[in-house]
Amino acid sequence: MPLRGSSRHGWNSWKGYLAAHQSRLDQYDHFLVADDLHYRIGEREVISEGTLRFLDGYELEVARRQEVTVRNGEPRVRTVRYSYHALHRGRAAVRSLFRYDNVHPHPGHETPHHRHEYDWNGNQINPPKHVGEDGWPTLGDVIDELHEYWRQTR
């Protein structure tokens, strides 16, 4: 599914993307415990999968597909499919907090970009909230949101 060209989600050099990603993680070195993201890099796509682990049992499960093009000999990427699932691993249970994705469309939504919300017990609140083409977050945005959630619940 081609994107219409949101500037936040447009083409970026692969090196630039990795530098921006690392810079964002460095901002949270007081919160981030482990970066278990793995990248499968192909000629036409990059698949990113894994988990970012944070203090106090907070986690962010990441599944993303970026398409690849080459410009002036340098690979460039842009995200086309994503799922960012924030959760908390407590002593007794794993509880979903929120999830952004565009993996599946929902009736009545203009675009597939949406946010799943969960109650305090981790039960999904329906229907998912449509965030649209201009509202879908970057991975960095989702890390910011999870950090704020953690900060407010400490």
Side-chain angles (χ1 to χ4, degrees):
M1 173 189 73
L3 299 176
R4 283 188 287 214
S6 169
S7 61
R8 297 185 66 216
H9 302 288
W11 291 103
N12 191 6
S13 74
W14 177 241
K15 288 180 186 177
Y17 169 79
L18 289 176
H21 174 73
Q22 189 59 52
S23 176
R24 181 58 66 101
L25 293 182
D26 290 347
Q27 293 174 7
Y28 289 110
D29 62 353
H30 65 285
F31 181 46
L32 181 67
V33 174
D35 176 354
D36 295 329
L37 289 181
H38 303 280
Y39 302 96
R40 289 189 321 241
I41 303 168
E43 287 183 30
R44 296 190 170 186
E45 68 181 9
V46 174
I47 304 295
S48 308
E49 294 178 313
T51 304
L52 296 173
R53 300 181 197 289
F54 300 95
L55 289 176
D56 301 330
Y58 287 90
E59 296 182 359
L60 188 57
E61 294 177 344
V62 175
R64 181 181 50 214
R65 184 174 72 82
Q66 294 170 296
E67 64 181 329
V68 174
T69 190
V70 177
R71 188 158 143 210
N72 298 326
E74 294 293 322
R76 300 179 62 75
V77 297
R78 71 174 175 182
T79 300
V80 291
R81 287 273 189 250
Y82 64 93
S83 175
Y84 307 129
H85 188 164
L87 51 94
H88 181 253
R89 290 189 185 279
R91 290 185 188 117
V94 177
R95 182 171 60 94
S96 291
L97 304 174
F98 58 88
R99 182 177 82 235
Y100 290 93
D101 73 73
N102 71 341
V103 177
H104 48 272
H106 287 276
H109 288 186
E110 184 179 325
T111 71
H113 305 284
H114 59 274
R115 173 189 161 103
H116 295 269
E117 297 181 352
Y118 300 85
D119 66 18
W120 187 249
N121 294 314
N123 299 311
Q124 186 169 321
I125 300 169
N126 285 314
K129 178 183 173 189
H130 182 246
V131 297
E133 189 74 32
D134 294 328
W136 64 289
T138 64
L139 177 56
D141 295 334
V142 179
I143 294 169
D144 292 345
E145 185 174 344
L146 182 58
H147 179 261
E148 183 61 20
Y149 184 95
W150 168 78
R151 196 181 66 72
Q152 289 183 7
T153 57
R154 292 181 68 195

